Amino acid sequence: RICFSGLLGLLLVLNAEARVGDSSQLEFCNETEQCLLFDLICKNSVYEVRHYDSVKWVTTNYTTFSMEFMMVPAFWKLYKYITGENEASQNIPMTAPVLMGIPEKSILRMDVFTMSFLLPAEYQMDPPKPTNDDVYIQETPAMNVYVIDYDSYMNTLSDSKYSKKLSKALDSAKVQYRKGSHFAAGYDSPKPKKKRHCEVWYVVEGDPVCDPVLQPFA
Ligand SMILES: *[C@@H]1O[C@H](CO)[C@@H](O)[C@H](O)[C@H]1NC(C)=O
Ligand SMILES: *[C@@H]1O[C@H](CO)[C@@H](O)[C@H](O)[C@H]1NC(C)=O
């Protein structure tokens, strides 16, 4: 087992406040000025483990069948919040990633999806209240996540392909993680670009594991 607990402890002390910062620190996050930063704990050939500090988002819930039905309406609700639908009538800069909470369910069942915009550093302490009741401020706790990334457009097909690849790798390594839902993180605007970057995150339970995954994954 690769274990960096001493190093991780040090990183946690150095980064006690929410880490939203300059996007130049992340090569795959270059469409916004600020991005969500993290500490890399370990990685293997399939996934990496990251530590994220507790951080605030503006979020909306949407009950539906699949992400295709909620991406546009949820995006617009959050976009309106950052362009003035808040009690301070503030214009708030866009950040990355846009994070979605994806329930893992049968395609025929409706369930709650979430979409969140990360609040920029200057709004982390005291974000203006949303004026739309469907939109709320959410604080995610400090957490470790298993991450796999891919470079195509995000949709149900790509998201479930890579969430399955990641969960298969975690299951075969007998790793503990929160099941039943995952996060989908998008870093790109919809406009065409050479190299897109999307991610699937599972929340780590217990100690993060980065043993080499021995089975080949197609
Ligand atoms: C962002 O980074 C990608 C590679 O990661 C590069 O192809 C693209 O040109 C960059 N875009 C900008 C606006 O710098
Ligand atoms: C939004 O959905 C999440 C995840 O299902 C749930 O935990 C939360 O209570 C919901 N919040 C609101 C305001 O509907």
Side-chain angles (χ1 to χ4, degrees):
R1 169 174 303 193
I2 304 172
C3 182
F4 287 106
S5 51
L7 177 60
L8 181 60
L10 181 65
L11 293 172
L12 293 179
V13 170
L14 291 175
N15 299 296
E17 80 285 13
R19 293 233 293 138
V20 181
D22 192 334
S23 60
S24 64
Q25 297 182 57
L26 278 186
E27 51 135 351
F28 54 79
C29 189
N30 61 7
E31 288 196 34
T32 59
E33 270 181 25
Q34 291 184 32
C35 297
L36 182 60
L37 304 178
F38 57 85
D39 298 308
L40 181 64
I41 297 177
C42 56
K43 64 193 290 186
N44 62 25
S45 59
V46 180
Y47 59 77
E48 63 184 46
V49 183
R50 297 177 184 166
H51 175 80
Y52 284 103
D53 288 325
S54 176
V55 71
K56 288 192 187 124
W57 309 76
V58 57
T59 300
T60 189
N61 285 13
Y62 206 93
T63 303
T64 187
F65 293 103
S66 81
M67 66 163 78
E68 281 73 14
F69 295 108
M70 59 81 71
M71 279 167 100
V72 171
F75 188 94
W76 281 108
K77 277 184 191 164
L78 299 175
Y79 188 77
K80 283 185 179 159
Y81 169 83
I82 66 168
T83 53
E85 272 194 6
N86 57 70
E87 281 184 355
S89 301
Q90 288 282 310
N91 260 301
I92 300 172
M94 185 74 197
T95 59
V98 172
L99 194 67
M100 283 193 282
I102 311 293
E104 294 178 359
K105 57 173 195 69
S106 127
I107 192 88
L108 301 172
R109 250 190 41 228
M110 296 227 275
D111 209 336
V112 181
F113 290 71
T114 64
M115 183 184 277
S116 306
F117 286 4
L118 175 69
L119 290 157
E122 61 275 26
Y123 290 97
Q124 279 288 323
M125 285 293 281
D126 192 19
K129 283 208 183 70
T131 50
N132 182 341
D133 287 344
D134 290 346
V135 172
Y136 60 98
I137 302 295
Q138 179 195 18
E139 183 167 7
T140 47
M143 59 183 177
N144 296 328
V145 289
Y146 292 108
V147 180
I148 194 169
D149 65 79
Y150 59 95
D151 63 0
S152 54
Y153 279 91
M154 186 190 290
N155 52 40
T156 297
L157 210 63
S158 59
D159 175 72
S160 63
K161 176 177 169 187
Y162 287 94
S163 60
K164 282 193 183 116
K165 181 172 172 175
L166 178 53
S167 62
K168 249 173 100 176
L170 296 173
D171 289 342
S172 86
K174 306 231 181 332
V175 162
Q176 304 270 312
Y177 60 100
R178 195 193 298 159
K179 298 191 182 180
S181 68
H182 62 266
F183 290 111
Y187 292 81
D188 311 303
S189 62
K191 68 174 190 284
K193 68 190 269 196
K194 248 197 215 122
K195 202 168 183 319
R196 310 191 70 79
H197 187 92
C198 303
E199 295 169 346
V200 171
W201 302 358
Y202 278 105
V203 176
V204 174
E205 287 183 342
D207 288 334
V209 177
C210 280
D211 289 342
V213 176
L214 299 174
Q215 270 173 252
F217 290 94

